[in-house]
Amino acid sequence: MKNVFIALDDEDEIHNKLNIIDEKYLEKTKDRLSFELERIDKRLGTLIGAIDKLGIFPAIIGFYVTASKLFSDTQPGIMFYLMVGLAAGIYFSSLPVIGLVNKLEKGKFIIECNLSAREKSDMETTI
């Protein structure tokens, strides 16, 4: 529970720092984050998204079945280890990308919250 309060304090500090920045610049930053998230999703979403959602074991089984059908004349033991290594390599190399996407989404969310809070305060001051 203590970590939750530390995280909330950090977000309050970030919101206070964002209040200093011009609203147009925050809008551009939010748009840029949206663009980067969309670009990453288009480029890597099929590969990383499936492994991230299903897990590594269905990917290993799928790679193995596909490879055994394609390479039926080779030894299955070698192919299995090759496919396990390939699936594990793809999975573990995708973890930093998943972390990056999470950070970009969090940054975009914080900026959106700050912009909506500014809109609410602008409405209250005009009324």
Side-chain angles (χ1 to χ4, degrees):
M1 194 68 161
K2 185 177 180 181
N3 292 335
V4 172
F5 291 120
I6 291 171
L8 290 174
D9 288 341
D10 290 343
E11 286 190 21
D12 286 341
E13 185 178 326
I14 291 170
H15 282 292
N16 291 336
K17 288 180 181 178
L18 288 176
N19 284 333
I20 300 168
I21 300 172
D22 186 27
E23 191 172 337
K24 291 179 184 178
Y25 182 75
L26 286 177
E27 285 286 346
K28 287 181 183 180
T29 304
K30 184 186 85 163
D31 292 342
R32 178 65 186 205
L33 289 173
S34 297
F35 170 76
E36 291 297 334
L37 285 166
E38 192 174 313
R39 193 174 121 227
I40 289 172
D41 187 48
K42 284 182 182 176
R43 289 180 145 195
L44 303 173
T46 305
L47 181 65
I48 293 173
I51 293 175
D52 184 39
K53 288 176 182 63
L54 296 175
I56 192 167
F57 295 113
I60 291 171
I61 293 169
F63 280 134
Y64 178 71
V65 169
T66 303
S68 66
K69 298 286 184 189
L70 290 175
F71 306 109
S72 59
D73 57 339
T74 54
Q75 284 185 312
I78 295 171
M79 191 54 59
F80 176 74
Y81 292 121
L82 179 67
M83 291 300 112
V84 167
L86 179 64
I90 291 171
Y91 181 75
F92 290 119
S93 65
S94 70
L95 290 177
V97 175
I98 293 167
L100 174 67
V101 167
N102 289 338
K103 286 183 181 182
L104 290 174
E105 286 175 345
K106 182 180 179 183
K108 181 181 168 190
F109 176 74
I110 290 171
I111 290 173
E112 287 173 344
C113 288
N114 186 276
L115 289 172
S116 70
R118 286 183 185 197
E119 287 178 13
K120 286 180 184 177
S121 67
D122 288 346
M123 287 179 159
E124 291 173 359
T125 56
T126 57
I127 293 178

